[in-house]
Amino acid sequence: EVQLVESGGVLIQPGGSLRLSCAASGFSFSGYPMHWVRQAPGRGLECVSAISGNGGDTYYADSVRGRFTISRDNFRNTLYLQMGSLSVEDTAVYYCAREQVGDLDSWGHGTLVTVSS
Amino acid sequence: DVVMTQSPLSLPVTLGQPASISCRSSQSLVFSDGNIYLNWFQQRPGQSPRRLIYKVSIRDSGVPDRFSGSGSDTDFTLRISRVEAEDVGVYYCMQGSKWTWTFGQGTKVEIK
């Protein structure tokens, strides 16, 4: 069974930095691109970043490019999102999701990041 | 970015009655491999999104056959043939043909 478990979400002040993790199990992690998708409170879904299976290719939404860095450790079966220069607009539940070409077939339960002073 | 526009945004439905959600994209979603990566997700209250349909019309395993997807190019539809109480939630379309992948605003399905 595919399992994705996010962690690292906290209450943090504007301007701060944070690293989210997503522990994957139940599938061959290195064989799949992975994504981070966020959902602001009471709002819709936004694709934030993606990374290829071997980590060689990364993609970012304009809203986070230059501030966030996606990475993965295929030995530890873990996906990361390093977040910097955080603002209140980054407050959201952050989900990691597995990509099947052109779609996201498995999602974690999410981790809440709250940016507030 | 490709803009995905859903309608309606709120859909009150009587149990046992059909429901239909429209999703329109601002650009063609035909990918270079000829596929259309248009997907539908269900998000029940308090849960993470769950994929229902991918590549326009392919139902995920375990998804009841009362759910169906159709469409082409820029115009897509999710249909529920007979709404059940467990179908309450928000439904999102998402395009995976062009980065940045984008979602529709979501359609809230509720029981009248």
Side-chain angles (χ1 to χ4, degrees):
Chain A
E1 180 195 0
V2 174
Q3 284 206 327
L4 299 169
V5 179
E6 303 92 338
S7 62
V10 294
L11 169 62
I12 189 166
Q13 291 191 337
S17 297
L18 187 62
R19 189 177 81 161
L20 306 182
S21 301
C22 170
S25 61
F27 65 103
S28 178
F29 181 66
S30 63
Y32 291 84
M34 297 293 295
H35 290 240
W36 287 100
V37 179
R38 70 183 179 183
Q39 186 170 35
R43 304 292 296 274
L45 298 162
E46 178 188 16
C47 283
V48 169
S49 187
I51 187 168
S52 59
N54 65 9
D57 295 305
T58 57
Y59 306 86
Y60 298 95
D62 289 344
S63 57
V64 306
R65 187 175 291 113
R67 300 187 301 120
F68 290 10
T69 302
I70 192 171
S71 63
R72 64 192 296 159
D73 184 335
N74 286 343
F75 293 103
R76 290 187 169 84
N77 291 344
T78 303
L79 175 72
Y80 301 102
L81 186 67
Q82 180 70 44
M83 309 164 66
S85 302
L86 286 164
S87 71
V88 294
E89 286 75 30
D90 297 314
T91 294
V93 174
Y94 285 75
Y95 298 100
C96 69
R98 185 179 78 168
E99 177 184 329
Q100 290 274 19
V101 178
D103 72 79
L104 302 171
D105 71 334
S106 298
W107 296 60
H109 287 105
T111 187
L112 175 62
V113 174
T114 303
V115 184
S116 175
S117 54
Chain B
D1 292 355
V2 178
V3 177
M4 306 298 289
T5 304
Q6 287 184 231
S7 63
L9 300 185
S10 177
L11 185 55
V13 187
T14 301
L15 286 173
Q17 293 300 301
S20 180
I21 301 170
S22 169
C23 175
R24 289 193 166 92
S25 61
S26 61
Q27 304 174 29
S28 170
L29 298 185
V30 178
F31 191 59
S32 54
D33 62 5
N35 287 308
I36 296 176
Y37 295 107
L38 186 284
N39 315 290
W40 290 95
F41 296 87
Q42 175 194 61
Q43 188 173 31
R44 290 175 171 146
Q47 296 186 12
S48 54
R50 165 201 181 196
R51 189 182 68 174
L52 292 178
I53 287 173
Y54 59 100
K55 285 199 283 189
V56 181
S57 61
I58 304 174
R59 237 182 350 260
D60 248 271
S61 61
V63 173
D65 61 7
R66 62 179 182 274
F67 289 93
S68 64
S70 64
S72 63
D73 201 28
T74 62
D75 200 349
F76 306 93
T77 302
L78 175 70
R79 290 186 177 86
I80 310 173
S81 59
R82 296 172 306 279
V83 172
E84 297 190 6
E86 66 178 16
D87 300 336
V88 165
V90 181
Y91 292 78
Y92 296 92
C93 61
M94 185 205 83
Q95 66 82 17
S97 292
K98 301 178 192 295
W99 185 259
T100 306
W101 292 6
T102 45
F103 291 87
Q105 314 98 300
T107 295
K108 186 174 184 178
V109 172
E110 57 186 9
I111 305 301
K112 279 184 186 173

